[in-house]
Amino acid sequence: MHEAFVLAPWLYPALTALAVLTGCIDAIAGGGGLLTLPALIYAGLPPHLMLGTNKLQSAMGATVATTRYHRAGLFTLRPNLPATIAAFLGAGAGALVIQHFDAKVLRLVVPLLLMGAALYTLLSPRMDDAPGKPRLSEGAYLPVAGGIGFYDGFFGPGTGQFFAATLVALRGLGLTRATGLTKLLNLASNVASLVVFALGGQVIWLLGICMGAGSMVGAMIGTRLATRYGARLIRPLLVTASLALTGKLVWSWFAN
């Protein structure tokens, strides 16, 4: 339990400021977790607390981004409700599974997952705002949504990219509309994960709320930029963030 875990006071404003940046990145392109999780590791949080606290701040930022994208008309709720439910259920299952992993195992697995998420973002196919031909029906996409949701509950970073890439490649959406719908699916998976982690006592509430406030501010900025500039902003930001994080992770491995 986290009652005995104490953070240095300066980390609260530092991590909140970081959450403004990551909330903006998440709202535009996803991938903010590739920054927040290494930062929380650096702050000294045990793996399960790190994941649970990150879900709180992510859910707060995703709430703002989802609301603003919906108001901008990038998605409608009713036709996407089944995929939202699939993402919710998958994430709840993933969060349950990860809590049965030993913390020592997670300390080894987390860097590998971070590296994989960063490389996926960097190497994923080029996407733009032109709609394409759907390769899967709405019903056939449900297992995909549930599987990505499971990954989000189990770990998380890169979830936004996975949703956006599959919505473009499999459902035929343009990138900006896919980004809007991604926020709805990601909000569902974040909320489900947060509930499970909270019930397991794996959330530092004060830190999560502080970072969540920062994430909400960042989401307001990011959604405005994304709806204005679309794919020409989203794709370069994804690649830049992934290059930086991949380089940092590689350097950390060799340094240790």
Side-chain angles (χ1 to χ4, degrees), residues 36-45 50 110-111 114:
T36 54
L37 288 187
L40 291 171
I41 292 172
Y42 174 80
L45 271 70
M50 170 195 70
V110 163
L114 282 169

Side-chain angles (χ1 to χ4, degrees), residues 16-251:
T16 299
L18 175 66
V20 175
L21 172 62
T22 58
C24 181
I25 292 172
D26 270 336
I28 296 173
L34 293 170
L35 294 172
T36 54
L37 288 187
L40 291 171
I41 292 172
Y42 174 80
L45 271 70
H48 292 104
L49 273 181
M50 170 195 70
L51 294 170
T53 303
N54 184 60
K55 286 304 173 190
L56 174 55
Q57 69 90 21
S58 294
M60 292 174 67
T63 299
V64 171
T66 300
T67 301
R68 291 174 71 91
Y69 280 131
H70 184 259
R71 289 176 179 172
L74 293 183
F75 70 88
T76 53
L77 180 58
R78 182 170 294 181
N80 294 299
L81 189 58
T84 304
I85 294 172
F88 182 92
L89 294 175
L96 282 172
V97 170
I98 194 66
Q99 291 192 62
H100 289 88
F101 274 63
D102 186 86
K104 292 181 180 179
V105 175
L106 286 181
R107 288 190 181 97
L108 297 174
V109 171
V110 163
L112 292 172
L113 291 174
L114 282 169
M115 179 72 77
L119 287 174
Y120 172 86
T121 303
L122 176 62
L123 301 175
S124 61
R126 185 172 183 84
M127 297 178 284
D128 56 34
D129 280 331
K133 183 179 180 180
R135 297 180 181 180
L136 291 182
S137 65
E138 292 179 4
Y141 183 73
L142 295 184
V144 178
I148 297 173
F150 181 90
Y151 167 79
D152 192 25
F154 186 85
F155 185 55
T159 298
Q161 290 96 316
F162 299 152
F163 274 129
T166 56
L167 288 170
V168 171
L170 302 179
R171 293 292 300 129
L173 275 66
L175 182 55
T176 301
R177 288 193 173 275
T179 299
L181 181 53
T182 286
K183 291 302 108 182
L184 173 64
L185 300 177
N186 214 168
L187 174 60
S189 61
N190 278 332
V191 169
S193 305
L194 175 60
V195 169
V196 174
F197 278 114
L199 290 174
Q202 302 294 346
V203 179
I204 300 178
W205 290 96
L206 178 58
L207 177 61
I209 290 171
C210 289
M211 293 181 69
S215 183
M216 292 172 78
V217 172
M220 292 178 190
I221 299 169
T223 51
R224 178 170 295 187
L225 292 172
T227 53
R228 182 173 181 179
Y229 296 106
R232 58 196 173 106
L233 171 66
I234 294 170
R235 175 69 186 188
L237 183 58
L238 273 172
V239 172
T240 301
S242 296
L243 276 172
L245 262 295
T246 302
K248 180 182 181 300
L249 289 167
V250 171
W251 182 86

Side-chain angles (χ1 to χ4, degrees), residues 5-23:
F5 186 81
V6 178
L7 277 174
W10 67 269
L11 285 170
Y12 285 87
L15 291 170
T16 299
L18 175 66
V20 175
L21 172 62
T22 58

